[in-house]
Amino acid sequence: MVYLPGVIMMGILSFIFLVITLILFITKNASIIHTYHWENVKEENKKVYAIHMGVGMLISAFANIAGALINFFTETNWGWMSFGVGLVASFVYWSIIQKKYNGGFF
C-alpha cells in the first residue's frame, strides 16, 4: 500500500485545483491569483484572463485525478508521471496566457 499516500495527496490537490477553477470560472475575477500576475492585464481582458487561468487549473486538476486513479487501480506510483505531465502542460498554457495578456510573467 505504498501508493495510497500518493492517491490521497493527489486527491486533495485535485480538490483544491477544482475549487480554484470554479472560483475563476464563476466569478471571472482573477483577484485570487497574486496581483503581479494580472496587474498589467487590460480591464477589458480581465474576465477572459480569469477564465483562461481557470482552464490551466483545470488541466492540473485532471492530471491529478488521472494520476490518483492510475496509482489506485494499478497499485503502483506511475500516476506521478501523469501529475508531472499535467503540471508541465499547465505551466506551458499559463506561460502563453501570461505572455498574451500580461506581457510576461511579472
Side-chain angles (χ1 to χ4, degrees), residues 31-83:
S31 64
I32 65 168
I33 303 169
H34 200 285
T35 308
Y36 62 79
H37 286 301
W38 56 269
E39 67 186 354
N40 296 328
V41 177
K42 294 178 183 169
E43 196 63 41
E44 63 268 10
N45 292 333
K46 285 190 178 178
K47 288 183 179 182
V48 176
Y49 174 79
I51 291 171
H52 281 297
M53 294 306 278
V55 169
M57 290 302 293
L58 194 60
I59 293 168
S60 292
F62 284 153
N64 278 301
I65 292 169
L69 292 174
I70 290 168
N71 283 355
F72 183 76
F73 287 113
T74 64
E75 298 183 5
T76 65
N77 284 316
W78 283 102
W80 287 103
M81 185 170 278
S82 169
F83 172 79

Side-chain angles (χ1 to χ4, degrees), residues 5-15 63-68 71 79-80 83:
V7 170
I8 293 168
M9 188 169 24
M10 281 191 258
I12 292 169
L13 284 173
S14 298
F15 179 75
N64 278 301
I65 292 169
N71 283 355
W80 287 103
F83 172 79

Side-chain angles (χ1 to χ4, degrees), residues 13-26:
L13 284 173
S14 298
F15 179 75
I16 292 169
F17 290 157
L18 286 173
V19 167
I20 294 170
T21 299
L22 286 174
I23 291 170
L24 287 169
F25 282 167
I26 292 170

